[in-house]
Every structure is written in structure tokens, then in C-alpha cells.
Amino acid sequence: MRLLLAVDLGLKTGLALYGEDGRLIWYRSQNFGSTERLRRGAHGILNGVPGVAALVIEGGGNLAVVWEKEAEQRGIAVRRVGAEVWRQAFLLPREQRSGSDAKRHAGEMARRIIDWSGASRPTSLRHDAAEAILVGIWGVLELGWIGSLPREIQRIMSPAR
């Protein structure tokens, strides 16, 4: 089974793992605290998840290079995406008026994806994990692993979409 790992980049990193059926398998937030710990963490995460065929990263710079190098060593396809790209795909302009609005709406949609996927429900959902979940669903759509958002997720979206 092919897997996609989505990363909301930062020292406080959001991670989301998807199966080729487009369902979320797991998600989490991890505070690496330093670039060196992130380097070791990325290595350990990718070693610990066999079957990752694609890595989608939101963000750039030196931290993205860490993930890209680890992926390259394993033959994993990498795609970088800016927040504005996946937000435009899933959020209305009024839901993106401010960063806090976008994060709140991303959290709401992430919870729907968690429910649809049958993944364990969070007691609290950090914004970096929520954004990794949305980066991941964007990735499985981009790769063509699923043709469109499932109806259960679309229901929360505006009828204009």
C-alpha cells in the first residue's frame, strides 16, 4: 500500500499520514525544538513508516531541505506547496481573511476528515496537525489517489464549491 506523508513545516511540525484510498491513518504534532533534532526526527519518521511513496511539505527554506534530503535517499517523491494553494482549494476567501480565521476553519475541516477516515479523535487538535491533515488531503487529490473530496467532507463546505 502506498502512503503519503504530509508535513506542516516548522520546528513545531504537523504530520499526517494517508493511505492510497485517501483516508487519514494518523496525525500528530511534534515539537523538534532545533534543526538538528528535526533532522534526526525526519530520519526516524521516514525509517519508521515503510511504504511512503510521496511527501508533501507546506513551507520552505532550510527545514524543507532536511525533509527533501531524507526523502531523496529513499526514492520518495516530494512536492512543496504553499499554504495559499491548499487554502484556496478548501477555504472560502472569507474564511482566510486572517491567519487565525484560516487556522480555525482548517481545524474544522480537519476534524471532518478525521471522522470520515475513522482515525482516532483528538482531545485537542493543534493547528499544525490540522494543517498537515489538509496538506495531505490536497496531496492525495493532486496525485490522483482519489478523484474528489468525499461527500461527507464536502457537506461542510459552501454550496458555491
Side-chain angles (χ1 to χ4, degrees):
M1 178 162 141
R2 295 178 301 173
L3 302 171
L4 177 141
L5 180 64
V7 178
D8 179 35
L9 198 56
L11 293 179
K12 290 183 179 176
T13 299
L15 301 162
L17 186 68
Y18 281 84
E20 63 188 316
D21 62 356
R23 292 191 187 266
L24 179 64
I25 298 169
W26 58 252
Y27 58 94
R28 69 179 188 241
S29 179
Q30 190 157 342
N31 185 352
F32 291 106
S34 72
T35 303
E36 185 53 41
R37 284 196 299 240
L38 181 134
R39 186 173 287 111
R40 287 191 308 267
H43 178 84
I45 289 165
L46 289 175
N47 277 348
V49 185
V52 173
L55 177 68
V56 180
I57 303 168
E58 180 205 299
N62 293 337
L63 298 181
V65 172
V66 168
W67 285 98
E68 288 170 338
K69 284 183 180 179
E70 288 294 332
E72 182 182 317
Q73 292 173 357
R74 293 163 178 80
I76 298 170
V78 178
R79 174 90 187 255
R80 281 196 203 184
V81 61
E84 68 282 356
V85 174
W86 66 259
R87 284 179 179 167
Q88 184 178 11
F90 300 133
L91 303 177
L92 293 170
R94 71 173 178 265
E95 295 171 333
Q96 304 175 57
R97 287 191 185 131
S98 70
S100 61
D101 279 349
K103 289 181 188 310
R104 182 171 51 82
H105 290 287
E108 291 168 4
M109 186 173 176
R111 287 178 187 281
R112 298 294 172 118
I113 293 168
I114 291 166
D115 288 343
W116 170 75
S117 297
S120 62
R121 290 185 176 178
T123 51
S124 68
L125 182 62
R126 290 185 42 91
H127 69 83
D128 49 3
E131 291 192 359
I133 290 169
L134 270 68
V135 168
I137 198 78
W138 179 88
V140 296
L141 286 164
E142 278 293 302
L143 289 171
W145 291 7
I146 60 174
S148 62
L149 283 176
R151 219 175 284 133
E152 297 86 347
I153 297 168
Q154 289 179 359
R155 274 189 226 134
I156 66 158
M157 302 173 93
S158 165
R161 290 188 224 179

